[in-house]
Every structure is written in structure tokens, then in C-alpha cells.
Amino acid sequence: MTTARVRTILPIIGVTAMALLLTACSGGGTGAATAAHPSTGASTGTSTSASPTTGPTTAPSRSTPAAATPSTAAGAAAPAPSRGSGTAAAPAPASTTSGDTASTRCATSQLTGSVADGGGSSAGATRVAIILRNTGARSCTLQGWPGVSFVGGGNGTQIGNAATLDRSTPHQTLTLRPSGEVQAVVTVRDAGDWDSATCHPRVTDGFRVIPPGSRQSLFVPATGALFESCAAPAVHQLSTSALASF
């Protein structure tokens, strides 16, 4: 009888022990879940700092100083220039060369002309000097041979051929300061060296002069001198030197 009761009680004890063990395991799992629940203060702080999406926005990393963040860095307001653009981006310096130090060719409009003695007369020829004067406010330059021809009729009509150029004369560049002058010596052969039928003589008013490098001319009156020109195209009565200082 006693043996039968023991056999009956042992299964009951075993079932009870198993129930208690399952209850204890169930209680341990509940505690761990409660400790990790985000409603507790400690687990909330741990969960927030460990989150990869909210960590950088809530507080800067301890290993990164606040001054190094893009919003507070000293140079973050403007993009840094590329290494190769620093020199090219600098503004070009203003020019320091003035118009007074760099002479340009004299314009016909800033010149006046006159006639002077060019060295007297020789057998069958007269030499006159045609003087060009700078009436401008700045220096200018002239170089070479002027174009020279007789004009008459009171209206600037050219008479005869233009002067041939004496290439044997020097023709360096000349600088004319304001009121400066240069001259070309023109040799005028006497119209009497040809007969009237060949020469077709005409009375002149003066000279048409074209400065070197220009297409415009100026009238230079032959004041105090009377020249007779050959209008025939076959006659070459004039020759001129290059412009020179005097």
C-alpha cells in the first residue's frame, strides 16, 4: 500500500517541479525584456546614442570637435578655390603706360607746313625746304619721304608729276614734340630747261604735301616765291629728300 502511494505521488511531484521550472524561466525572460524596453530612462539613453540615424543629429561625436563640423568651420561659408585657379582669378593690374610716353605717327590734321630756303640754287635748279610743324598737344613721329607736287589754279589742282624720291637720303624715325619741326628738301628744276611745247608751263600757288604714312594732304603756300611748273606728264621737275631734323 505504501509503495503504491509513493508511485502515485512521484509523478505529481515531477509535474509540479516542471511547472515551477517553466514559471521561473518565463519570469526571467520577462525581466530581460523589461530592462531593454525603451520606456525606461537608462535604456532610452543607451538606445538613442547607439542609433545610427539619430546619433550625429542629437550630439556631435566626442572624437570630433564642434568647430570641425560643416556648419561651424571657418572656411565652410564659401567653397575653397581650386589649386590652379588662385593666380588666374586675380584681377589684371591696371596699365601704367601713359599716352605721353608712347609716341604715335603724326596725323595730317596736327601738322602745318611752310616753305623756307633749302640751300639756294644751282645750275638749272632751286632747292626749297618744306617744313612740317607739330601743332598737337602730344609728341608724334614721322619717318620717310613726303609726297610733294605742285598745285595751282587757286583750287588745289595738281600740276605736273609728283616729286620723285631721293632714296640716297637717310630716313630715320623722327619724334616731333609739340611745336617741333622737321623738313624735307625739295629740288625744283627750272621749267626753262624744257621748251614750252614740251613743258606746258603753268604758274603755281604752292605745294600739296602728303606726310609719310598718310593718305591726307595739306596745302603749303609758296609765299614769297614764284615757281613755274611744267604740266606735261612726260616731265619730272621735282625730287624730294626724306624728312630730317634741322
Side-chain angles (χ1 to χ4, degrees):
M1 186 73 178
T2 302
T3 303
R5 287 180 180 179
V6 170
R7 291 176 178 175
T8 302
I9 293 170
L10 286 174
I12 295 173
I13 293 171
V15 171
T16 303
M18 290 294 292
L20 290 174
L21 180 61
L22 291 174
T23 302
C25 292
S26 175
T30 304
T34 302
H37 197 280
S39 63
T40 63
S43 59
T44 301
T46 304
S47 174
T48 302
S49 62
S51 173
T53 57
T54 61
T57 57
T58 56
S61 174
R62 291 182 180 180
S63 61
T64 304
T69 60
S71 60
T72 58
S82 62
R83 293 180 180 179
S85 62
T87 302
S95 174
T96 57
T97 303
S98 67
D100 292 330
T101 59
S103 299
T104 56
R105 181 173 56 83
C106 299
T108 301
S109 59
Q110 70 185 102
L111 298 172
T112 58
S114 60
V115 173
D117 183 5
S121 300
S122 60
T126 302
R127 287 184 294 274
V128 297
I130 293 182
I131 299 172
L132 298 180
R133 179 185 177 91
N134 178 14
T135 60
R138 294 185 178 182
S139 297
C140 60
T141 60
L142 289 173
Q143 187 270 333
W145 293 261
V148 181
S149 58
F150 276 128
V151 292
N155 56 8
T157 300
Q158 181 172 328
I159 303 174
N161 291 305
T164 59
L165 308 181
D166 181 0
R167 298 288 187 179
S168 66
T169 56
H171 53 283
Q172 67 269 24
T173 299
L174 307 171
T175 299
L176 283 75
R177 295 184 178 183
S179 300
E181 297 178 331
V182 292
Q183 69 175 8
V185 176
V186 178
T187 301
V188 184
R189 290 183 60 184
D190 295 339
D193 288 351
W194 295 271
D195 59 72
S196 296
T198 303
C199 176
H200 300 167
R202 300 286 188 274
V203 176
T204 65
D205 300 324
F207 299 91
R208 175 183 293 149
V209 178
I210 303 174
S214 178
R215 292 181 178 272
Q216 297 180 328
S217 63
L218 63 150
F219 172 65
V220 180
T223 305
L226 179 62
F227 294 102
E228 193 172 48
S229 173
C230 292
V235 175
H236 293 275
Q237 190 178 3
L238 304 176
S239 67
T240 181
S241 72
L243 290 169
S245 300
F246 63 95

